[in-house]
Amino acid sequence: MKRQPLGIFLRGAGMGAADAVPGVSGGTIAFICGIYEELINTIKQFGPSAIGVWRQGGWRALSVHLNLAFLVPLLAGVAVSLFSVAHLALWLMETQPLLLDGFFFGLVAASALVVGQASNGWKFWYLLPLLVGLLLAQALPGMMPLVLLLGNEFLVVMAAGCIAISAMLLPGVSGSFLLLTMGLYGTIMGAIRSLDLGIIVLFGMGCLVGLALFSRLLSWLLRRHHTSTMQLLLGFIVGSLPVLWPWRELLRYQIGPEGQMIPLEHRYLLPADYAVLTGASAQVAGVIALMAVGALIVVLLNRHADRRPINTQLGAEKE
């Protein structure tokens, strides 16, 4: 059955909205919508092989090879959502951080169940990739400030784009959160809002490099080691959950190059302890309600997910 471009556009809009918020990954949304592997293998098609296809079959063959009927509406949804949600995300982070974290905590926690169900069978050694994913999800944010040691502003922005887009392809790993730990989230989101073409072009060049390299690695892993790769992705998702826990205390931070605070370590609290510590309402009812809403959205999206077989031309054969 032919898919409707509007449906693909809306999936892209969901991915863009997630990518705009630190702590959430567009890859998570892609997975629960049933388009994750198709997305990875479609991106991988961009390379020297596309030139050969164009020479042999023309534009129509190239369009099929690059799966443009899928990719164009998806990227349009991502772009529209990023530009529109950039304002809303920054406003919500400043005015309603507990409610925003609660919503995405429920969404990401439920998505972990979806990824877990996608694995075919279980073997004891699958604990290894699961643990690797957990450890990497915990370690990556602490490593991100090292990017600033590159010194050159152009290289820093390009490296940030490469890392952020690679993270966005992983369910559970938030490219926006990694930008936040680099101290560059405000810079990049501000450039998107103000259409600062200099920063956008540099960041985009880094994104292209990251997409070209990382999509090929993920595609190879999904073809050759599908179930163990799914366990790795599950580890990333579960490992990212503490970042979204609403009631937390910042223990350690550093000051970024623009004077912004880069969080490095948190202590996770119960709602009552949070209220005592901050003297503010823990908003328990609202946070729990939005956790439930986030989880319900995942259930509904997964129920209507697009599970059509991926074109073998895209190289998506499983173990």
Side-chain angles (χ1 to χ4, degrees), residues 1-273:
M1 183 175 65
K2 185 177 180 180
R3 293 180 302 181
Q4 296 299 318
L6 178 60
I8 302 173
F9 175 88
L10 292 176
R11 289 172 172 85
M15 291 175 59
D19 284 331
V21 179
V24 191
S25 168
T28 304
I29 304 299
F31 194 95
I32 62 179
C33 289
I35 61 171
Y36 182 72
E37 292 184 49
E38 182 173 8
L39 173 62
I40 297 300
N41 288 292
T42 296
I43 294 172
K44 187 199 66 152
Q45 295 298 92
F46 284 79
S49 62
I51 299 176
V53 170
W54 173 67
R55 286 176 175 173
Q56 292 179 6
W59 293 108
R60 183 180 296 274
L62 181 63
S63 175
V64 174
H65 177 78
L66 299 179
N67 201 14
L68 295 184
F70 164 79
L71 193 60
V72 170
L74 186 78
L75 291 181
V78 170
V80 169
S81 185
L82 270 178
F83 279 93
S84 59
V85 173
H87 299 273
L88 178 62
L90 291 175
W91 179 77
L92 287 174
M93 286 173 61
E94 294 172 0
T95 61
Q96 299 294 339
L98 293 182
L99 298 181
L100 187 66
D101 282 344
F103 172 76
F104 283 112
F105 184 91
L107 188 147
V108 174
S111 70
L113 298 177
V114 173
V115 175
Q117 292 172 354
S119 299
N120 298 318
W122 172 261
K123 296 179 182 178
F124 182 76
W125 70 269
Y126 288 154
L127 283 174
L128 179 59
L130 180 64
L131 289 174
V132 169
L134 283 167
L135 293 174
L136 283 176
Q138 294 297 312
L140 279 174
M143 297 166 60
M144 289 304 102
L146 297 176
V147 173
L148 301 177
L149 298 179
L150 290 172
N152 185 286
E153 180 182 356
F154 297 135
L155 289 178
V156 167
V157 173
M158 288 184 65
C162 183
I163 293 170
I165 199 67
S166 298
M168 289 172 184
L169 292 178
L170 287 172
V173 181
S174 168
S176 293
F177 182 71
L178 294 186
L179 286 175
L180 187 66
T181 59
M182 294 179 213
L184 294 173
Y185 178 76
T187 300
I188 301 304
M189 294 302 286
I192 291 174
R193 287 189 299 169
S194 62
L195 292 178
D196 185 333
L197 293 181
I199 293 178
I200 291 175
V201 168
L202 286 172
F203 187 76
M205 290 170 62
C207 288
L208 289 176
V209 173
L211 283 174
L213 298 177
F214 200 60
S215 64
R216 282 165 171 75
L217 173 62
L218 276 177
S219 178
W220 182 85
L221 288 172
L222 287 166
R223 286 201 314 272
R224 300 294 183 88
H225 308 285
H226 187 270
T227 303
S228 54
T229 302
M230 298 306 294
Q231 296 303 313
L232 177 71
L233 298 181
L234 178 60
F236 276 122
I237 292 177
V238 175
S240 73
L241 281 174
V243 175
L244 294 169
W245 182 250
W247 304 289
R248 59 185 186 265
E249 175 190 8
L250 181 62
L251 296 180
R252 190 164 59 92
Y253 64 91
Q254 72 180 44
I255 302 301
E258 299 177 359
Q260 71 276 45
M261 187 171 62
I262 303 173
L264 297 177
E265 184 181 355
H266 289 92
R267 180 164 69 101
Y268 302 100
L269 307 169
L270 294 174
D273 296 329

